[in-house]
Every structure is written in C-alpha cells, then in structure tokens.
Amino acid sequence: MKRLLFLILAIMPLATSAQSPTDSLRMMDYDAPRDYVVSGVNIHGNRYYPEEIMRSAIGMAAGDTITLPGDYAAQAIEKVWKMRYYSDVDIITTPRGDSVAIDVYLTERPRVVRWRYEGIRKQESTDLAEALRLRPGNELSDYILDRSKFQIEDFFSDKGFRNAKVEARIENDSLINNAVNITFVIDKGHKVRIGKVNFAGNQNFKDRRLQRTFKKTNPVSINFFKSNKFKEEDYAADKELLLDFYNSKGYRNAMIVRDSIYPINEKRMGIDIALEESNKFYYRNVSWVGNTIYSTTMLDELLGVEKGATYDRKTLHKRLGVGREPNIEDNSTITALYQNKGYLMSAIEPAEIVVGTDSLDLEIKIFEGEPFTINNVGITGNERVNDYVIRRELSTYPGELYSRELIMSTIYRLGSMNHFNPEAIAPDIQPVTNNLVDISWQLEEQPSDKVDVSGGWGAGMFVGSVGLELNNLSLRNFFKKGEWRPYPQGQNQQLAIRGQTNGQYYGALSVSFTEPWLGAKRPHSLTVSGYYSAESNAYYIWQQASAHFRTMGVAAGIGFRLRWPDQYFTLYTEVGYKRYNLENWDGFLMGTGNSNVLTLKTVFGRSSVSQPVYPRYGSDFSLALTLTPPWSLIDNNNYSDPNLSDADRYRWIEYHKWQLSGRYFHPLTADQKLVLMAKIEMGYLGHYNPNKLSPFEGFRIGGDGMQGYTLYGEDVVAMRGYKESELIPIASQMRRDNARVYNKYTVEMRYPLMLQPRSTIYGLVFAEAGNGFTEWKTFNPFQVKRSAGAGVRIFLPIVGMLGFDWAWGFDPPAGGTRRSGSQIHFTMGQEF
C-alpha cells in the first residue's frame, strides 16, 4: 500500500516532556484521503517578484479546502516553475487536526547586473544590445541564455558570418549577493559568401540565365552591386522567382525537386538546385464567368491572351491585377478597371483547366459585387496643418463613388504637400455595409520648414547665405494672440526669405510668398516675389565705392492645376519686371546706364512622381517660355548703327528664352528601393534682332551650382566632373558673355540607406553629359562633355537636401586640352 508520511506538529503543553520522534509522525494512507482547511500560506525566499502575484500563481489561500494526499502541490510547483524566476521550488504541508499549514520555499535565480559582449566591435555591441533588449536586473535562466545565443548567431548570420560561435561566461558580482555578470564571448569567424550556385535538370535554359532570376542569392563576382551574402528568407524568395521565370516561359509544372546548402571552405558556401522542367504549355481557350459590367470582348482585349500563345502566369496575373504582389499603382489591370468604378469588393479568380499534355483553357471567374459609395472620410495625425487644408487636397469625398484612382491621386497630393511622411501615407479602407465604405487617412507629420546657412565660391570670392523657409504659414492667424507657436501655422502658405553677402562688396535680399489656394475654393496659386542685389568695387571695409552694379526686380504669378489631359498637368503664368543700374562698371558691355526687363513667363508641366524626397516611380517634365516685348520693332532706334550708345541700345532688353526639363523614375527591384532616374534638360536664349542681343540671362554651365551668387541674371547649370563655368564656350567668354544654348543628360541609380520622416539618406552612382554653345547654329546635342561618379544625399527637413559627389570628367573643359579629371562637389538644397 502506498503511504505518504506527513509531518504533524502537535500542540503540546510545555510540561509534556520529550517524546520519541515517531510520536510526532502520523502515517497517512493514499487510499483514504481527507479534506483539510488551509490555515495559512507562507512564502519564503521571495525578494523581487510581487507576493500577490506569487500567491495567485500558487492557487491556494487561507480558508481553502484541499485534499491530502493529492496532486495540488505538484500543480502549484509546475505553475511557479513555468514563471522561470526561480531555480528551486519546495512546498511543505503541515497538518494540524483538520487544518493544514502550507510553506513555500523559493530559491530565486540570480539577477544579472551587466550584459557584456566580447570579441566584436563597439558598434556591433550597440546594435546587438538594441536587438536583444536584455535589461540589467532581470533574472538569469537557461532559457534566456540559450535564446540570446541563438539570436546573436542569427544576427551575425544575416551579416554573412554563418559560422559565428557564441559562449556565455557567468561571473558572480563582487558587490551584490545572488547577482552575476554575463559576458557573451563571440567568435564571428570568417564572412561566408556564396561561392557557386549549381543547377541540375535544366534542359532549356543555361545556368547563367537561371542565375539571373535570383535577386539576392548570387555567387561572388566582379559585379559589386549584387549581394553574395546568404539569407534564408532571400533564398526562399529567389526560389519563388526562379519558378516564376519558368512559369512565364510556359513551363507551368516546373518544380524544384531538391536543393542543398553546403560549405566549400571557411569563406565560401555552395548551393545545389535540382529542377524538373516538365512540358511547355500553351493557351487554348479563354472564357469569362460572372461579368455583367464589362463585355467579354472588352475583357479579352484588356487581357491580351491569344489562342496558341505561350503560357505566362506572371503576365496573366499582372494584367488581371491578382497574385502574390499586385501593383496597386497600376491602373491598367482588370482589377483596377472594376475598382475605379466603385466595385471595391470585386474579386477575380483565374482557373486553369489542363487539356492534354501541353495545353490549357482559362476560365476566369469574376465576382463583381455591389458598387461602393464613400461614406465618411476621416483624418488623423495632423497637429500643425488644419483639417480643411488637408481636405481640400483629397480626391475622396463622402457621397463619391469609390475609386482606386482617386485613392492614388490623394496619396500623391498629400505627399507633394511636404508636411507628411510619404512612406506612411496609406488609407484605412473599411466597408461598413454592402455598399458603403469609410476611408481614414492616417498621417504622420514631418518638419517642413527650413533654415539654410551656407556658403559658396563664385566669381573669385566667398559668399555667405542665410535663408528661412516657412512652409505652413497662416496669414489668417497672423494677428491672433496665442497663435505664434513659434509662428502662425496651418494654412500651407509659404514664405521664403534669403540674404547673401560678402561684406561691403556684395549683398542681396530676396523675399517670396505663395498662397496655394487663392480664394480657398480652387487650387489656383498666387506667388509674389521681390529681390534686390548690389555689388561695388569696394572690396574692403575701408574702401570707398566708385562703381556699382545693382539689380531690383518684382514678379507675380498665378498657377493652375489642369484637369486635361489629366490631373497631373499644371500651368503657371508670371509677369515680372527687372531693372539693372550700372555706374562705372568696367568689363561689361555697358559701363553706365539703366537696363529694364519686362517679361511674361509661362511654364507648362506635368508631375506624377511618387514623392518629392525619394521618388520611386513617375515622371516630371516642364516647358518654360519667357518673353519680352520686341522693343526693336516698336522703337525707332537703328540697332545696326555701331554708333548707337549703349544706354540707348540696352535701355530695354529683349529676348525669348526656352527651357525644357524632364525626369523619369523607374524602380528596378520588386521592393522599389533601387531606382533608376533619367533626366534631360536644355535651354536656349534667343533674340528678335541680331543687333540687339541681351547682355543678361544666358547659362553658366559647370561645377556644383553653389557658386554663391549670379550677377547678370543667368541660370547656373550644375555639371559634375567640371569646375564652375568651365563649359561656357570660349567665344562667349571672350565677349564676356554666357552660353546661349546648352543641353545636359543625366542617368542615376539610387539606393536608400535610411528612409525616415526626419532624415532620408541614399547613395547614388551617375553618368552625365552636357555642354554649352554660343548660338543655336553651333548647337550639337551630341557634342557633349562627359563625366561619371558616385555620391550620397542626406535630406534633413530643417536644412533640406545635402549632397556630396565625387566625379571624373572624361573630357577637357572649354578651351582646354587636358581632361578635367577628379572633382569633388558639395550641394545644398538642390539636385543635379
């Protein structure tokens, strides 16, 4: 018979003398359990964990009834043990008549005073600490040690150190009892890269072609843009891409039979992949089921699948708008066709019916559902920008038919405001009934104001600049008390002030203001600006100026968002007046006198870039035309007369100026991080009368565009790989003029290093070509100066875009015989 011996503490008067040990022990029979009332639960050895929670875990309290013998103690020990705070747990029961006292004895695990890392660099230790989140004061357990060692190995495996080894060294703390210091001793070993990838069973495609389908799993090669580190998740994704490639070529049943990963040596690993290609399939018949909104003929034309064509699952899913990663920006899919008409819950399911050994029929089922109407539109996350300012940029209104195209348009508009993190702009779309949907725009504000303190070298001198740009001004609240935090905000109005100086020699001030919604009803912008600059021949503070060149100008313009050809087109028209005042100004076409310029400028453009800071897709182009009145046709001056004074010849300046610029962005990877940017631009300064050429305007080509200032109204065109103004034609330089025609081509590949609301960093490699020409007759778009290089861009909202580039100029500058060679460029607030 099973028996359990329980200790009974008998309550005896002191007069009762010594008893034999067996008198205080009572044998209890497992076959005859009894109920006892718990008189108390005493916990011993608990210092850190809250006692109330511990008592709850034990599950017993004074007044409870338990059965002895029983399994309550084993259950309580199991509960406490699972908490992992204790290295030993003992529960002792002491019956006294019909009651029982319970004593719980705990041995706490030692607390960790410090977590340390040995054998790695300081930055790696910091990164590990952030990843592991091990806090001082936590208890030590085998579970924590094993988990931490696994995480460390996984951390370094992701960095290419697949053979990293980790040991934990435990040392008692010299100051605190029951406390230890843990040091993870890490041996990273050699970085292991992929040495080779072998394919077997591929009859129709060479190994090299199959290898090109992999995005991240590539063997070591001279192409340093390709990753050769092995990551399990990347390898799994690349295997899917391999099968997608086979599917796109008609091999519907292609499969990976087996694959293996093995070490080649300490620094290299190999991958073997065995394939079964199977038969090549072709389309036979296509049928549609469930379509009532659009005809079968129309859907067939959009799908573009012809009988006898090679089976291509990737293209099929792309055109339907289904699959693992549908492109939500693509409005040419059949899914988009339905969703742009309100059919939010529509679904498309293609079914493949195999016929024979190499053919299949497509049966495409469409579940159209009901058209949805927008019910409520909410906005959250905006604290500095007023609700109505955001709502006027929305294309989604209550009562409107739901449209995915309107969703994408709103994302673009909100991103172009520059007040919100473009990476986080995404609507929360929630159907509330069978035909109503709520849309909530959850925004994350980012700083948009800028303070610019910079300097540049131009015309042989250093010019300092200070600029302030407020992009969320509110004139409505300008005189309201309490709205200056630090200035009245909320209406998205922009105010920019910039000053430049070189001391007494040169100074300039410009001010501009933009109201983006003139009248607050339509997106018609109003921009007014003014500027003043003065340069003298007093280089030092003790000198008295005897000559000066002063410029004053004002301008006002109105911008329109066009609805045709589409919503991305804009038109801007501006009227400007500029006055040049010269006195004893040697070295210029006119030494003393006044020149006036009255201009009408029109800019026609289209911009569909995904976001302003790091565009991933879209395009941006503009055509600008600036005209002055043809004064030579109006006044009675004979400009062919060489005796005509400069004051009369240049009293009113005339010209027509054409400028063309276009950019195109295209993502090169599925995650849209690696982006190709292609840009083309050109400019032409023309004349009405060959005897009345404008001495102002023109183009200065070369350098980083940070020359500090411009004096004669010219446009500065940055060209990496060459110094400032090095590409102005020699003929123009001899007559102290700028280029009157230029062209420039740029190709960049960009990759982001950090995409955060408060900082964006990306690297780039580029190739550029461009040149300046004296006149249109000598213009040759293929006669260019070439350069290439690499750089980095850092966007900080408070200062704008900062850039650093190294470039190599392959050709000599204008008038030179030796190639430009290595050049370093720094930029602020601009792009090349």
Side-chain angles (χ1 to χ4, degrees), residues 304-523:
V305 172
E306 297 181 0
K307 187 172 184 178
T310 302
Y311 172 79
D312 185 348
R313 181 181 297 170
K314 182 177 181 180
T315 301
L316 174 67
H317 286 183
K318 180 180 179 181
R319 292 175 180 174
L320 291 174
V322 300
R324 290 196 304 268
E325 296 180 358
N327 185 2
I328 63 173
E329 288 92 16
D330 189 357
N331 268 319
S332 64
T333 67
I334 295 177
T335 296
L337 184 70
Y338 274 92
Q339 292 196 356
N340 286 337
K341 291 295 183 181
Y343 293 89
L344 172 63
M345 304 304 293
S346 62
I348 299 176
E349 294 183 1
E352 301 173 0
I353 303 171
V354 177
V355 181
T357 59
D358 63 353
S359 300
L360 59 84
D361 292 339
L362 281 178
E363 184 182 79
I364 304 175
K365 300 177 182 179
I366 299 180
F367 303 91
E368 294 176 334
E370 296 292 328
F372 275 72
T373 301
I374 299 175
N375 183 42
N376 293 318
V377 179
I379 301 172
T380 59
N382 58 308
E383 297 180 358
R384 299 188 305 113
V385 185
N386 294 339
D387 272 9
Y388 81 91
V389 173
I390 299 174
R391 288 190 180 277
R392 70 191 186 189
E393 299 291 344
L394 302 182
S395 301
T396 53
Y397 298 101
E400 291 275 351
L401 193 66
Y402 173 84
S403 170
R404 188 168 73 172
E405 188 174 11
L406 296 181
I407 294 290
M408 300 309 301
S409 173
T410 300
I411 292 175
Y412 166 75
R413 295 294 182 196
L414 293 176
S416 63
M417 292 178 70
N418 292 328
H419 296 303
F420 309 107
N421 177 16
E423 301 294 326
I425 298 177
D428 181 17
I429 302 173
Q430 295 293 338
V432 292
T433 66
N434 290 334
N435 56 8
L436 292 176
V437 60
D438 287 347
I439 300 176
S440 176
W441 291 98
Q442 301 171 353
L443 306 175
E444 180 182 334
E445 286 189 330
Q446 66 180 12
S448 58
D449 301 329
K450 300 176 184 177
V451 177
D452 177 9
V453 179
S454 62
W457 186 266
M461 66 178 180
F462 180 84
V463 177
S465 297
V466 177
L468 174 64
E469 187 176 328
L470 306 179
N471 290 306
N472 191 29
L473 187 65
S474 175
L475 292 184
R476 177 185 298 176
N477 299 327
F478 204 78
F479 298 103
K480 291 184 180 180
K481 186 178 180 180
E483 294 293 335
W484 287 76
R485 302 188 305 269
Y487 67 89
Q489 303 182 60
Q491 285 188 266
N492 197 33
Q493 296 166 336
Q494 292 98 43
L495 174 66
I497 303 173
R498 173 175 290 276
Q500 296 176 292
T501 185
N502 182 256
Q504 186 175 348
Y505 178 66
Y506 173 78
L509 177 67
S510 63
V511 180
S512 68
F513 171 80
T514 299
E515 166 55 70
W517 280 65
L518 184 62
K521 293 184 178 181
R522 293 183 178 274

Side-chain angles (χ1 to χ4, degrees), residues 110-116 118 140 145 168-176 178-185:
R111 299 278 161 166
V112 180
V113 179
R114 292 182 182 87
W115 302 92
R116 298 190 181 101
E118 193 176 283
L140 177 65
L145 285 179
R169 186 172 68 235
I170 304 175
E171 300 170 309
N172 292 325
D173 191 80
S174 59
L175 300 177
I176 304 175
N178 198 30
V180 296
N181 295 308
I182 305 297
T183 302
F184 291 106
V185 182

Side-chain angles (χ1 to χ4, degrees), residues 120-121 123-132 148-162 164 166 186 188 229 231:
I120 58 177
R121 293 182 288 107
Q123 184 59 48
E124 291 175 327
S125 298
T126 302
D127 295 341
L128 264 181
E130 293 178 357
L132 299 181
S148 299
K149 288 192 288 186
F150 174 79
Q151 288 178 322
I152 294 172
E153 291 174 354
D154 192 56
F155 175 86
F156 284 104
S157 179
D158 284 344
K159 294 181 178 297
F161 298 94
R162 293 183 53 82
V166 183
I186 303 169
K188 295 190 298 184
K229 292 187 298 185
K231 292 185 179 181

